Amino acid sequence: MADNKRLDTVQTSRVIEMAWEDRTPFAAIEYSYGLTEADVIILMRQELKASSFRLWRQRVTGRMTKHQAKRPFLVGRAYCATQYKPR
């Protein structure tokens, strides 16, 4: 990732959490943190164990809810109910 996209540990943790959530599209991560889908993949590859990364890639590859253009309107909210939990 470019130097201007460096994240602290709290932000990195949140991006990973958002990437695992089925209903959070990559566009929401890009809007919130400035990371493209490719940047998120790089981040996940760096931060997760190899087996966890492979599971995540299998999970999100082709998933309609993770890609804004493929998302039907019926999906609804773009975030998990626990996304805005108090810290």
Side-chain angles (χ1 to χ4, degrees):
M1 287 185 301
D3 289 335
N4 62 346
K5 294 182 183 175
R6 296 226 181 251
L7 304 173
D8 62 29
T9 50
V10 173
Q11 291 172 323
T12 300
S13 177
R14 183 64 191 125
V15 170
I16 291 170
E17 185 179 0
M18 290 174 78
W20 271 103
E21 292 171 351
D22 291 338
R23 296 171 68 103
T24 304
F26 288 111
I29 297 171
E30 185 170 8
Y31 177 79
S32 298
Y33 294 97
L35 299 174
T36 64
E37 180 178 349
D39 292 333
V40 173
I41 292 170
I42 291 168
L43 176 82
M44 297 294 274
R45 187 184 306 270
Q46 291 171 346
E47 297 294 326
L48 299 179
K49 295 186 301 185
S51 60
S52 296
F53 175 75
R54 282 192 300 275
L55 286 172
W56 175 76
R57 283 298 288 155
Q58 287 176 348
R59 184 181 178 94
V60 300
T61 300
R63 186 172 290 269
M64 290 192 327
T65 56
K66 292 304 277 185
H67 300 88
Q68 197 73 33
K70 295 180 182 177
R71 232 176 129 94
F73 182 74
L74 299 174
V75 172
R77 294 187 335 206
Y79 59 89
C80 176
T82 61
Q83 179 172 346
Y84 298 108
K85 50 192 162 198
R87 300 212 187 266

